[in-house]
Amino acid sequence: IGGCNDGFGFALVDEKGRIQGERTLTPKSYVGRTKGQDRRVVSSLPIVAAPVQLFGEKLILQPKALIAHGRQSTNTISLDNTHPFYNGKVALIHNGVARDETDLVKHQLKTNCDSEILLRYWEKEEMRSIEDNVGGYYAFALLDNTGRMHIARDNKANLFISYSRTIDSYIIATTQDMIKILCKRMKWHYEASEKILDNTYAVFKGNTIESHREIEPIGYTNVKYDANWDKAVATAVGANVHSVEAEIYDYKHYYKNEG
């Protein structure tokens, strides 16, 4: 998800729910694979140069799901703010700008990265708490200790999905180009990708979609116009989520005319 200029991280989960991951501020310094090595195989961890932060279980040899995040920061660049966010039970990556609309977790936050807000609400009542308390916009993926992957997007942040028969798995990313590039580099079969429907929450177990439902995000309901937040959204969105820019304009217009 996103670019890699400000950090990179990943997490794996196996069928027993064991999670392992790594975070780094130097994502371009990869340990090269040996000549002739299958490009789909990483023989050892860490795979990136220091500074590195490993977390979770020991080396997982047969992962059932992988999440990865390249960060383009809207706040402090640090290892603590680098995704995935991990609490011993789940690992989460997020694209967007999240706002805590009810301030129920503000004293639990350990970083100044807005993405951690999603993790703290997930710890309460999972997706229901996020729907009820998190404003702004988001697309996120989360691995849990039952071996499942959870994905969600509101009606502003993008997520696309494709299926590759080469690896018998779904591939999900914030742009179609990311999926195409990954399949090309890994020499995986590429099927046409489709945009995941607005306001969708889905749960995967291996290569099976266990469940999915429509969500009701709090969205911009309680957002007060904030120039700094406006700038952060514009930085994070770039040219991919035009509806957010339109939404910001609507609020500027409202506050200008209604006070």
Side-chain angles (χ1 to χ4, degrees):
I1 295 179
C4 293
N5 294 333
D6 301 327
F8 173 80
F10 72 90
L12 308 168
V13 67
D14 65 12
E15 60 184 7
K16 295 182 180 180
R18 294 177 296 187
I19 296 173
Q20 181 192 37
E22 180 179 358
R23 305 192 296 178
T24 179
L25 291 179
T26 54
K28 296 180 181 179
S29 302
Y30 286 90
V31 175
R33 63 189 179 90
T34 59
K35 186 176 181 180
Q37 180 184 4
D38 187 333
R39 69 174 61 208
R40 288 174 291 177
V41 175
V42 175
S43 60
S44 63
L45 292 176
I47 64 168
V48 291
V52 148
Q53 183 185 69
L54 294 169
F55 59 85
E57 301 285 342
K58 295 180 179 179
L59 179 63
I60 295 174
L61 297 177
Q62 294 183 318
K64 293 298 181 182
L66 161 73
I67 58 175
H69 184 277
R71 188 167 187 242
Q72 289 183 301
S73 175
T74 57
N75 48 45
T76 306
I77 299 172
S78 68
L79 201 55
D80 287 340
N81 282 355
T82 303
H83 303 219
F85 285 89
Y86 177 67
N87 66 358
K89 295 181 179 180
V90 302
L92 176 145
I93 59 175
H94 160 239
N95 186 50
V97 179
R99 286 184 61 127
D100 183 357
E101 299 292 354
T102 56
D103 289 336
L104 296 179
V105 299
K106 64 179 181 180
H107 298 300
Q108 300 172 31
L109 300 177
K110 300 176 181 179
T111 74
N112 67 347
C113 182
D114 57 284
S115 303
E116 187 190 356
I117 293 169
L118 293 163
L119 177 64
R120 300 309 165 198
Y121 277 111
W122 181 272
E123 292 171 341
K124 293 183 176 295
E125 295 182 51
E126 300 184 353
M127 194 63 215
R128 292 293 183 187
S129 289
I130 291 176
E131 290 175 75
D132 292 345
N133 297 281
V134 179
Y137 77 98
Y138 55 78
F140 71 84
L142 178 148
L143 301 180
D144 72 18
N145 60 358
T146 68
R148 290 171 170 81
M149 180 173 73
H150 305 252
I151 65 101
R153 68 166 292 251
D154 59 13
N155 62 350
K156 299 173 182 66
N158 287 332
L159 275 182
F160 293 86
I161 186 169
S162 179
Y163 173 80
S164 175
R165 60 172 179 260
T166 307
I167 55 174
D168 188 24
S169 295
Y170 292 100
I171 303 170
I172 301 170
T174 51
T175 70
Q176 292 174 306
D177 285 344
M178 287 184 187
I179 298 176
K180 292 177 183 178
I181 291 170
L182 177 63
C183 288
K184 182 178 180 180
R185 290 183 177 177
M186 301 302 292
K187 296 185 178 180
W188 294 340
H189 172 76
Y190 171 74
E191 294 281 357
S193 56
E194 297 183 9
K195 188 175 182 179
I196 294 176
L197 294 176
D198 290 354
N199 300 321
T200 291
Y201 166 57
V203 181
F204 294 75
K205 178 73 171 179
N207 59 2
T208 302
I209 303 176
E210 281 194 337
S211 63
H212 62 88
R213 66 174 176 85
E214 185 176 0
I215 61 176
E216 298 180 2
I218 193 171
Y220 285 83
T221 304
N222 297 322
V223 171
K224 294 182 179 180
Y225 177 61
D226 182 327
N228 291 328
W229 187 78
D230 188 349
K231 181 178 179 181
V233 171
T235 301
V237 170
N240 294 325
V241 192
H242 302 289
S243 60
V244 174
E245 295 175 0
E247 197 77 37
I248 292 170
Y249 175 80
D250 288 343
Y251 269 89
K252 285 181 180 178
H253 179 78
Y254 174 80
Y255 281 101
K256 181 178 180 181
N257 290 282
E258 302 296 333

